[in-house]
Amino acid sequence: MVAINYDKLVNWDIPEVTQHLTRRDTMLYALGVGLGADPCDAGQLKFVYEEGLQALPTMAIILGYPGPWHAHSDTGITRSHVVHGAQGFRIARPLPVEGDIVGKTRVTGVVDKGKDKGTLVMTECTVREKASGSVLCTLESTTFCRADGGFGGPDGPVKAPHPLPETPPQLVCDLPTLPQAALVYRLSGDYNPLHADPAYAAKAGFKMPILHGRCTFSIAGHAILKSLCGYDPSRFVAMEGRFSSPVYPGETIRTEMWREGNVVSFRSTVPARGVTVLNNGRAEILT
């Protein structure tokens, strides 16, 4: 395996992605993150049933997804030791439930944390409606390459985490996940074997396949949408958070929220293990 070459990686040309989004894709994504757990809840039903179908705001993060581009041998990244470090999105106009879209991802930064400490790779994706060229949303993502630090790259800059209040949360929402959650969620386009293959997960140091970071992130988004937006996706503008620990499918995710005006600070935990899994979260909603 070649080591990371900073200049090559920061200028890596990630191919543009054209995606034909179907209503089935929109429903499958929502099912994969747990919507429909109560099939009689009208708020959840509109994201998983074709009558009056709407797109979850967090579906932005699977639009124009370039796939595991970092798995190319010339990147110098060890794919088996790659995990999601942070995720964010900002919606420019209501997400469609079907249609052709185009996503272009570019590398915006590579940070060498040092030998045995890994490397951060930051990317930004602009998602547009293919026909009009109008921007639908922009996505930011940080990939943590756990086995690839110490190649001599820059040690910054790194975006400062959003601070959380030290007061007790104003709202708490517990959402369970299914044992097969990762197997369903991967059908929305992220086929990393870390989330499906027990042997592959063991090689990466996990006791079993873990839930996708994007799925954990989306479940936190569901909690915000439910608790503060009354399941109205038009009120959900933006969201970001840092992944701090893996979730195992079947665990319950608790999201704690603090609201100040249009800004929601949040974190998500797995109470059964006493771990924080998504930290320094920040969302923007409309009142």
Side-chain angles (χ1 to χ4, degrees), residues 100-181:
D100 292 326
I101 60 173
V102 177
K104 178 60 179 175
T105 300
R106 64 185 183 93
V107 177
T108 56
V110 177
V111 174
D112 185 354
K113 294 172 67 68
K115 185 173 175 59
D116 301 324
K117 294 183 180 180
T119 289
L120 302 177
V121 178
M122 284 76 81
T123 59
E124 179 185 81
C125 178
T126 301
V127 180
R128 300 177 184 271
E129 186 179 63
K130 185 177 181 181
S132 68
S134 299
V135 174
L136 293 170
C137 56
T138 53
L139 320 173
E140 292 185 348
S141 183
T142 298
T143 299
F144 181 31
C145 309
R146 297 185 296 148
D148 302 306
F151 66 89
D155 60 3
V158 177
K159 182 178 178 180
H162 174 67
L164 298 181
E166 297 181 0
T167 56
Q170 297 167 349
L171 292 166
V172 175
C173 179
D174 286 1
L175 294 172
T177 66
L178 295 172
Q180 64 269 38

Side-chain angles (χ1 to χ4, degrees), residues 16-17 19 25 36 42 48 55 63 84 109 111 135 177 195 219 256 263-264 274:
E16 184 176 85
V17 173
Q19 179 180 358
D25 296 329
V48 294
L63 300 181
H84 208 155
V111 174
V135 174
T177 66
H195 309 294
I219 291 167
E256 302 172 332
V263 174
V264 180

Side-chain angles (χ1 to χ4, degrees), residues 38-85:
D38 180 353
C40 292
D41 183 334
Q44 296 187 36
L45 192 62
K46 61 187 174 186
F47 300 105
V48 294
Y49 179 48
E50 60 271 19
E51 294 297 328
L53 182 63
Q54 297 184 50
L56 280 174
T58 54
M59 193 178 75
I61 66 175
I62 70 163
L63 300 181
Y65 179 59
W69 64 271
H70 50 72
H72 193 291
S73 59
D74 288 348
T75 64
I77 294 172
T78 307
R79 187 187 181 192
S80 63
H81 284 61
V82 165
V83 294
H84 208 155

Side-chain angles (χ1 to χ4, degrees), residues 84 92 114 122 128 142 150 195-196 209 216 226 235 237 252 262 268:
H84 208 155
M122 284 76 81
R128 300 177 184 271
T142 298
H195 309 294
T216 298
K226 174 182 180 180
R235 294 177 56 195
V237 177
T252 291
N262 290 342
S268 296

Side-chain angles (χ1 to χ4, degrees), residues 178-234:
L178 295 172
Q180 64 269 38
L183 296 173
V184 178
Y185 183 83
R186 69 193 305 267
L187 300 179
S188 287
D190 188 343
Y191 293 99
N192 187 337
L194 179 63
H195 309 294
D197 186 335
Y200 192 96
K203 180 181 177 182
F206 298 105
K207 67 178 183 180
M208 62 182 288
I210 61 175
L211 197 62
H212 301 70
R214 285 181 177 83
C215 188
T216 298
F217 181 86
S218 299
I219 291 167
H222 177 191
I224 295 168
L225 183 69
K226 174 182 180 180
S227 302
L228 290 165
C229 300
Y231 280 118
D232 179 357
S234 69

Side-chain angles (χ1 to χ4, degrees), residues 175-179 207 246-253 270 272-273 275 277:
L175 294 172
T177 66
L178 295 172
K207 67 178 183 180
V247 173
Y248 292 105
E251 294 185 317
T252 291
I253 297 174
V270 172
R273 287 189 289 121
V275 295
V277 296

